Amino acid sequence: MTYTEVLESKNQLSLFGYKDYFNFFVKLYEKNNLPNAILLRGQKGIGKATFGYHFINYLLSNNEERQSLLENNKIDPNNKNYKLLCENIHPNFFLLHGKSSTSEITIDQVRSMLKFLSKSTYNKDLKIILIDNVELLNRNASNALLKSLEEPSNNTFYFLIHNSSQKILKTVKSRCTEFNFFLD
């Protein structure tokens, strides 16, 4: 019997099937047109979070010698930013997610994110927030998040991952540019 190891999204070195999306996001960023709040919406398990991590790695590694390889959608495992993201210790990155796939994201977690946003950046003056399973935000957490989504500071980007089979608050959704992800 053969077992296949399933890697967490942040540990995936290869991005499959979303090269056009990736190149589109790169062009938006290069033209200074990347929205500050992006909602990646689609069925659970199709690679939205993997896409998010790859693009975040691209943003944080833009000037690094070992940046994401645009030609083949692979991350160099020696990339310093990739390693920091995998350990969840990158000083310009904040991950907000439920403790389990069914637990809520609480207002205390959002307050920690807001504290992170008030600190200065390590380099590149970029701050990136990834909210995985945004549908797990409870009402208080959603309301606490709204103001920072409405008035993001320069070079702060939010990537919200949404399992389209569940609802999120319309007020959160309305403050984001939505991209629907599908498997071909």
Side-chain angles (χ1 to χ4, degrees):
M1 182 181 259
T2 308
Y3 293 98
T4 303
E5 181 182 3
V6 177
L7 297 175
E8 288 185 57
S9 300
K10 65 183 177 183
N11 296 323
Q12 294 283 349
L13 291 171
S14 297
L15 180 65
F16 298 102
Y18 297 121
K19 189 172 185 125
D20 291 340
Y21 271 118
F22 193 86
N23 292 334
F24 177 70
F25 276 54
V26 167
K27 286 177 186 167
L28 286 174
Y29 180 70
E30 288 173 349
K31 293 178 180 180
N32 292 321
N33 288 330
L34 186 68
N36 288 90
I38 296 172
L39 179 65
L40 304 176
R41 182 177 179 271
Q43 290 181 314
K44 186 168 185 60
I46 64 169
K48 300 175 304 290
T50 300
F51 174 87
Y53 273 106
H54 270 253
F55 191 69
I56 289 166
N57 187 75
Y58 169 81
L59 292 175
L60 294 172
S61 302
N62 202 16
N63 293 323
E64 189 178 333
E65 209 174 271
R66 294 183 169 111
Q67 68 176 332
S68 290
L69 301 175
L70 295 174
E71 307 82 50
N72 59 10
N73 285 10
K74 286 192 175 193
I75 295 173
D76 182 335
N78 297 312
N79 178 296
K80 177 181 74 171
N81 287 291
Y82 167 74
K83 290 178 181 182
L84 292 172
L85 285 171
C86 285
E87 297 296 323
N88 201 27
I89 57 173
H90 198 289
N92 293 16
F93 174 76
F94 191 89
L95 174 63
L96 192 59
H97 62 97
K99 306 257 187 266
S100 72
S101 62
T102 57
S103 65
E104 290 184 333
I105 298 172
T106 66
I107 191 167
D108 289 335
Q109 290 173 280
V110 174
R111 286 179 181 146
S112 293
M113 180 204 73
L114 296 173
K115 232 183 255 186
F116 163 79
L117 288 171
S118 69
K119 295 177 183 175
S120 60
T121 59
Y122 172 66
N123 64 4
K124 289 190 54 147
D125 203 30
L126 260 180
K127 287 189 181 182
I128 299 175
I129 309 293
L130 176 65
I131 305 175
D132 198 2
N133 294 314
V134 70
E135 63 273 4
L136 296 178
L137 284 165
N138 66 31
R139 183 168 294 284
N140 292 333
S142 294
N143 289 331
L145 173 67
L146 286 176
K147 184 161 175 67
S148 64
L149 286 176
E150 287 173 352
E151 301 169 6
S153 58
N154 281 347
N155 290 327
T156 298
F157 295 99
Y158 295 84
F159 293 89
L160 290 75
I161 310 296
H162 176 226
N163 175 357
S164 61
S165 68
Q166 297 182 19
K167 300 272 188 216
I168 61 172
L169 282 181
K170 289 180 183 178
T171 51
V172 170
K173 187 177 177 180
S174 70
R175 284 155 178 83
C176 301
T177 302
E178 187 173 348
F179 293 89
N180 291 309
F181 277 61
F182 303 96
L183 284 178
D184 289 334

